[in-house]
Amino acid sequence: MRAVIQRVKHASVSIGGSVRSEIENGLLVLLGICQDDGTDDVTWLVKKISQLRIFDDENGVMNKDIKETDGNILVISQFTLFASYKKGNRPSWFRAANHDISIPLYEQFCQQMTEAIGKEVKTGEFGANMQVELLNDGPVTICMDTKNKE
């Protein structure tokens, strides 16, 4: 499982010209799921992201997590995080999980994250053509991969 986590002032996702979800102050999480991911990957990633201390404290030091700031999370599925670009110039996504694996794990991730932060996580629509807008705060952008935990 791969995630690109961005600290944002605001973020939104639109489908067909209509806003599906939007947040203020929090995290935009782009989530990619590969064929060999499972529930252990979900649990590890949710814990890591929900406890990630990348919000400023009263001294301007990144020392607070999403819960301590009462922040929000927007999760967007993004299979392109598993692009293979080693051969040729057209990426392939053979490592990205198919729908029977990825949809349940995506839903589990969103549910566990909702429980971890104590408020509903906003989402896009799995498999849809989405337009994502954001104002990155910092900028702060962190990439995580559950296959690279060290």
Side-chain angles (χ1 to χ4, degrees):
M1 211 169 251
R2 287 187 181 155
V4 175
I5 302 121
Q6 298 181 75
R7 186 178 76 181
V8 297
K9 288 289 188 185
H10 60 82
S12 66
V13 59
S14 296
I15 302 167
S18 298
V19 174
R20 158 77 186 240
S21 296
E22 58 189 340
I23 63 165
E24 299 288 329
N25 299 315
L27 300 174
L28 170 64
V29 178
L30 304 175
L31 184 67
I33 300 166
C34 79
Q35 291 289 354
D36 60 351
D37 284 334
T39 57
D40 290 346
D41 296 289
V42 171
T43 301
W44 183 86
L45 194 57
V46 165
K47 182 177 180 184
K48 209 61 168 158
I49 293 172
S50 66
Q51 296 178 5
L52 195 59
R53 295 176 5 184
I54 58 172
F55 293 93
D56 293 347
D57 64 14
E58 52 283 342
N59 298 315
V61 177
M62 283 194 262
N63 202 27
K64 291 187 174 188
D65 65 31
I66 190 80
K67 296 171 289 205
E68 293 172 298
T69 62
D70 196 33
N72 301 290
I73 297 181
L74 174 59
V75 180
I76 306 294
S77 61
Q78 182 134 14
F79 74 95
T80 60
L81 291 177
F82 281 100
S84 175
Y85 46 84
K86 298 201 190 275
K87 184 177 174 186
N89 293 316
R90 183 177 180 194
S92 100
W93 292 278
F94 68 91
R95 291 189 56 221
N98 54 34
H99 284 172
D100 62 324
I101 293 171
S102 55
I103 291 174
L105 290 176
Y106 172 79
E107 291 172 351
Q108 182 182 7
F109 178 88
C110 294
Q111 181 59 42
Q112 282 190 25
M113 187 63 78
T114 293
E115 293 167 5
I117 68 169
K119 63 166 57 174
E120 180 187 1
V121 168
K122 303 292 184 175
T123 65
E125 182 179 319
F126 193 93
N129 182 4
M130 297 175 276
Q131 291 70 52
V132 179
E133 293 187 42
L134 67 130
L135 179 59
N136 193 315
D137 182 22
V140 175
T141 302
I142 296 173
C143 300
M144 290 186 185
D145 191 318
T146 60
K147 305 303 187 251
N148 188 21
K149 295 177 184 170
E150 282 91 50

